[in-house]
Amino acid sequence: MEKKNIVAGNWKMNKTQKDAEEFIKNLAPLIKSCRSSVYIAPSFTALSQSLDAAKETNIIIGAQNMHDETDGAFTGEISGIMLKTLGVEFVILGHSERRHIFNEDNSFINRKVIRALKDGLEPILCIGETQKERSENKTEEVLEEQFCASLKGISKEDAQNIIVAYEPVWAIGTGKTATSEIAEHVHLFIRKLILKHFDKEIAKNMHILYGGSVKPNNVEELMQQENIDGVLVGGASLDYKIFAEIVNKA
Ligand code: 13P
């Protein structure tokens, strides 16, 4: 089967139920014949409307986070099984905003990845270095640590259902996209990590998405790189026309 690119939108803390529904209804006809798989991650509160609006379209709906336990005394949290039973298909885990603002560490993210797989959700595991780490030449060390610790104990069978997103923290929401050379260099490094950790088949098939200031004017060049299998878009996924342009160019 041919490997399709993935264009994913992460709406972060934006859009009410009504906004989400309108967005999806407007987007769907514009991307009907796109070549990529299209993923959108609304806020928890807009998931239900988004799922309804995305019925009979090629848009796949996911969540931006989940807890690693199934139920219990975790005020304010949402479990994988709650998402799965709602009809959600994927979940973003380890986003740098979760790591840096909400202090999530690799071991918590690892438990979430394991739980998401058990619950039948496709995890998009985000990894990425800060500006400081990059300037100290620690990019590869940081990525290897995040990758290995977040995927600890994951079997080869389960690894087939995981997507990795490389999101350099310095490129998120800053307008400073990694050049396609920098992104490709890191994606190749991640591809080799997958090979080392799992096997050749998984390394070949696993999607590695790039995220960080992806816009209509840089998506084509990024997508031309051999090891970039898609993009994870923040700010530019909030406007349906701009997001449609990205999807159709990818
Ligand atoms: P921006 O596209 O706004 O830089 O955000 C990227 C991101 O964090 C997607 O998860």
Side-chain angles (χ1 to χ4, degrees), residues 122-141:
E122 185 179 34
I124 301 185
L125 170 70
C126 301
I127 57 176
E129 81 287 4
T130 61
Q131 181 64 62
K132 183 167 179 283
E133 288 159 346
R134 172 159 284 269
S135 46
E136 288 169 355
N137 278 326
K138 287 190 182 149
T139 300
E140 295 188 352
E141 184 189 323

Side-chain angles (χ1 to χ4, degrees), residues 204-235:
K204 187 170 134 242
N205 294 332
M206 194 179 282
H207 282 85
I208 311 175
L209 314 184
Y210 168 78
S213 298
V214 174
K215 309 280 179 225
N217 65 5
N218 58 26
V219 67
E220 281 164 300
E221 199 185 323
L222 287 163
M223 291 304 308
Q224 275 160 15
Q225 309 307 310
E226 196 182 333
N227 287 290
I228 300 185
D229 309 310
V231 285
L232 181 52
V233 189

Side-chain angles (χ1 to χ4, degrees), residues 10 12 92 95-97 126 167 171-175 211-215 232-236:
N10 172 11
K12 309 191 180 184
I92 299 173
H95 191 279
S96 68
E97 286 146 22
C126 301
E167 296 211 311
I172 297 178
T174 58
S213 298
V214 174
K215 309 280 179 225
L232 181 52
V233 189

Side-chain angles (χ1 to χ4, degrees), residues 78 157 163 208 241:
I78 303 274
E157 202 191 334
I163 297 167
I208 311 175
K241 286 188 192 145

